[in-house]
Amino acid sequence: MGWGDLGVYGEPSRETPNLDRMAAEGMLFPNFYSANPLCSPSRAALLTGRLPIRNGFYTTNAHARNAYTPQEIVGGIPDSEQLLPELLKKAGYVSKIIGKWHLGHRPQFHPLKHGFDEWFGSPNCHFGPYDNKARPNIPVYRDWEMVGSFAPEPVRLTPGVSHLFKEALDFIKRQAQRHPFFLYWAVDATHAPVYASKPFLGTSQRGRYGDAVREIDDSVGKMLELLHDLHVADNTFVFFTSDNGAALISAPEQAGSNGPFLCGKQTTFEGGMREPALAWWPGHIAAGQVSHQLGSIMDLFTTSLALAGLTPPRDRAIDGLNLLPALLQGRLMDRPVFYYRGDTLMATTLGQHKAHFWTWTNSWENFRQGIDFCPGQNVSGVTTHSLEDHTKLPLIFHLGRDPGERFPLSFASAEYQEALSRITSVVQQHQEALVPGQPQLNVCNWAVMNWAPPGCEKLGKCLTPPESIPKKCLWSH
Amino acid sequence: MGWGDLGVYGEPSRETPNLDRMAAEGMLFPNFYSANPLCSPSRAALLTGRLPIRNGFYTTNAHARNAYTPQEIVGGIPDSEQLLPELLKKAGYVSKIIGKWHLGHRPQFHPLKHGFDEWFGSPNCHFGPYDNKARPNIPVYRDWEMVGSFAPEPVRLTPGVSHLFKEALDFIKRQAQRHPFFLYWAVDATHAPVYASKPFLGTSQRGRYGDAVREIDDSVGKMLELLHDLHVADNTFVFFTSDNGAALISAPEQAGSNGPFLCGKQTTFEGGMREPALAWWPGHIAAGQVSHQLGSIMDLFTTSLALAGLTPPRDRAIDGLNLLPALLQGRLMDRPVFYYRGDTLMATTLGQHKAHFWTWTNSWENFRQGIDFCPGQNVSGVTTHSLEDHTKLPLIFHLGRDPGERFPLSFASAEYQEALSRITSVVQQHQEALVPGQPQLNVCNWAVMNWAPPGCEKLGKCLTPPESIPKKCLWSH
């Protein structure tokens, strides 16, 4: 989902009354970022509080390449990483993930081995049919076992969000009166192929993507309502955000909006990583607030721990901030935002200034094949189709005056010099202290795909894996 | 001002708390349009309820050219046009214009000759110093006479909005307890050179343009407060909008944001004509509503008359709709939006579909000189630099799925055919009935400039006009 997809963020069709109300009752962050322009690394960062370069969700197969966890990936979330649900256990929390996991699908990466108590969903994107003998499609799990796959059609129209939603209601109802709970509602309906349940199909002015947004909006609204009905609203912290910007490559039918920002998913421009972000906690977070805190999806890790009275592990670098001072007292904390692709720091924002050390959208070869992450946008020297090295003289934008990253500051200006010196010092500090994790997204192997997930026997859905041939994964963007 | 300049329309810095509150207390229109991508024609349309092609605010000097009323213009608002304040007189209204008039500056075009009872402001854009002997700058009038000019500096920093604001408060206070009143608060602070009063300078995250927006926001907030204090809020209809999209040519320092829309001022893409639009009338317009009515600045003419119990003149075509059914009952009325440049119908929107019959940003020659109305945006075959004739096969966009006008519908699709047939029929009807007014913006003459406005003697500011040499005005875009 993109920054510009909610009414409260300026989507012209204004079809998100529930999320807009959530913002009106809580706090809206206009300057909130994912940890990566792609899903898996961003989700790994959410659950570890650490940049993908630290938690291993990156590749070194090529320079500045995005990578994720397709079915043939060998790696996944390392055991050495401590995930939010693991840590929350210490405070008695029961945790459930509903929807997309995407931190590896081999047995050792199973969410229930990493702190979650329950799972309903799928290891990769996206809920697919499981009937392809040449390439197994993606199973749906309940806890330890495959329970099937969702839809018989290549584009799943019927269940999807409504199932994920019912699972959420059930879990909330069960837990609200018992243990404290952590629900990670990882809905994937706005990822191509986008989908919505029947009551929402064709109801949006924005096409099927809008149908998906409307259904998510409706589900969130009903979850908040349930929290009120259960009298736990004032005791439940709810945060809504996305793992990367709208995938403009799927536009117009299957892509959302990044509002006024440049490009989208896959890129380290604002459209790729600036996200909608709403915090809601009646009686604690005052209604109708806007926080200009530079926020990160990784902050949800640290903030959630703080809410549970816990502190993050001290034996490792944690990138997430505790946002409670911003949420409860309106404070602003100075902090950088790092924009990575793989092991390459592409850009850094500090205050209002963003410095691009490298620019790239995708290769000319890909671009000529119609892969376009910036359709209709072309900022000379900025939305480049070759990897441009600006490390000696970064392109710097003022994001307040120029949120669309169209007008680099003049190298000769005092403003440029001042911003560069501030950012350089923060980047040096970051890089000197950085201990990269073991890269998890380098090796692919068809043998590790979902040929025979646990439970497949009962369903008669086991396939025979092919010979194991580990290969370097090919990451083209 | 552009569609994307208010927080409630998604401006990321969110610096318009008063206008955002006005929206929260009233009705927001995401699909509201100016009548032209340039100021004078749009303002003429606001006050006459008629398209510029009807009221004469266009040029036939060249094909598809924007035109306005610079100092050397000979034409202006014709006596045959009936302006809103003229008509409101019949219902006892006292009218004042504060700020920019821009419907001609020669004696016969004076606002007090066209129905306004009071004027404080300037005939052209913008309040300028009056000390240029080669080319007189723009005087400020109080009613019939020049009272000076605002600032001694080329970019006027000190008075500006704060003067216009005080004038508004004074007028409202005076009138509120006496006659019904119509105030046209025509502030120009967001037009380059943008300006703000001292208390606002440097206070925005968006640079000086943002300072101007903040001051306007603050002024509007205080006017609404005054209406409450005077106990006339429930008896006063307030509407906030703009005369054209943000002028991206002045970006980044002096231009606003058109949100997710394509290009800006001067163009007939959405960025040039879709506008912020807020209606406020406590006790009548319910709070927190969004209307998807296709609205036009010309509707304010007809709506205002309806509010005063009047009907528009019956002896001429009126393009403005009465919006009261939308405002008070949430009704939606089917209506086209016409996008003109000069006498050329460039595009038409009907429902969600927009058909471009012609596309043009500006000439290659201008573009190469750095005049860019679409910086960073380049949609192949759409943001053209030659006048492209699509009349036989218009480019059609679905504005719900593709508000940024990046993906023309396939000519072969059923959706294209259906939209084309609906739009063609409406356009034919429009064109068959159209009686163009006498074009007012064809002739320029340096002798008509503000050399010796009434009142100049008292100020010792009279200049001698040069010889009268009428010429065709040159309109390059």
Side-chain angles (χ1 to χ4, degrees), chain A residues 215-236:
Chain A
E215 185 165 15
I216 292 172
D217 175 73
D218 187 73
S219 300
V220 173
K222 285 180 178 145
M223 284 187 227
L224 300 184
E225 210 177 290
L226 178 65
L227 295 173
H228 276 304
D229 290 350
L230 297 172
H231 308 294
V232 294
D234 64 352
N235 198 24
T236 308

Side-chain angles (χ1 to χ4, degrees), chain B residues 123-323:
Chain B
N124 306 61
C125 325
H126 307 270
F127 308 121
Y130 191 74
D131 54 4
N132 183 337
K133 307 247 157 175
R135 185 184 169 91
N137 266 303
I138 296 154
V140 169
Y141 278 72
R142 175 170 303 285
D143 300 333
W144 291 106
E145 289 199 353
M146 172 190 185
V147 289
S149 65
F150 254 137
E153 300 302 323
V155 176
R156 307 123 307 154
L157 299 186
T158 320
V161 189
S162 59
H163 272 78
L164 302 181
F165 167 58
K166 277 185 207 113
E167 287 285 328
L169 290 194
D170 288 350
F171 179 70
I172 296 170
K173 277 183 206 159
R174 257 192 294 130
Q175 292 305 328
Q177 315 302 350
R178 289 199 259 169
H179 306 283
F181 66 93
F182 165 47
L183 168 61
Y184 175 30
W185 196 61
V187 64
D188 73 337
T190 51
H191 192 298
V194 300
Y195 64 93
S197 307
K198 239 186 195 142
F200 292 90
L201 277 180
T203 62
S204 166
Q205 299 176 65
R206 306 178 63 201
R208 187 175 291 167
Y209 183 90
D211 297 343
V213 172
R214 288 200 64 228
E215 184 165 15
I216 291 172
D217 175 73
D218 187 73
S219 300
V220 172
K222 285 181 178 144
M223 285 188 225
L224 301 184
E225 209 178 290
L226 178 64
L227 295 173
H228 276 303
D229 290 348
L230 297 170
H231 307 293
V232 294
D234 64 352
N235 197 25
T236 308
F237 176 75
V238 185
F239 204 93
F240 181 88
T241 191
S242 170
D243 58 352
N244 49 240
L248 301 186
I249 187 170
S250 313
E253 269 295 343
Q254 305 216 36
S257 164
N258 298 315
F261 299 114
L262 188 61
C263 300
K265 180 174 175 179
Q266 299 271 6
T267 78
T268 47
F269 301 107
E270 292 298 285
M273 288 179 58
R274 206 187 288 212
E275 306 302 334
L278 310 176
W280 186 90
W281 188 17
H284 299 266
I285 298 172
Q289 293 181 91
V290 171
S291 171
H292 286 287
Q293 174 66 45
L294 284 187
S296 162
I297 199 169
M298 298 180 290
D299 300 344
L300 300 180
F301 174 88
T302 309
T303 307
S304 299
L305 290 177
L307 285 167
L310 301 170
T311 49
R314 296 225 172 88
D315 62 345
R316 63 196 68 201
I318 299 288
D319 298 285
L321 286 185
N322 176 2
L323 287 181

Side-chain angles (χ1 to χ4, degrees), chain A residues 3 8-10 12-14 28 30 205-207 251-253 260-261 290 292 352 375-379 398 400-401 406-407, chain B residues 3 8-10 12-14 28 30 205-207 251-253 259 261 290 292 352 375-379 398 400-401 406-407:
Chain A
W3 190 93
V8 74
Y9 281 90
S13 296
R14 297 224 159 216
L28 179 144
Q205 298 176 65
R206 305 177 64 201
E253 270 295 342
F261 298 115
V290 171
H292 285 288
Q352 289 278 16
Q377 299 181 315
N378 174 25
V379 183
H398 186 284
R401 296 193 303 269
R406 283 166 171 82
F407 305 95
Chain B
W3 190 94
V8 73
Y9 281 90
S13 297
R14 297 225 159 215
L28 177 144
Q205 299 176 65
R206 306 178 63 201
E253 269 295 343
F261 299 114
V290 171
H292 286 287
Q352 289 277 17
Q377 299 180 315
N378 174 26
V379 183
H398 186 285
R401 297 194 302 270
R406 282 165 171 83
F407 305 94

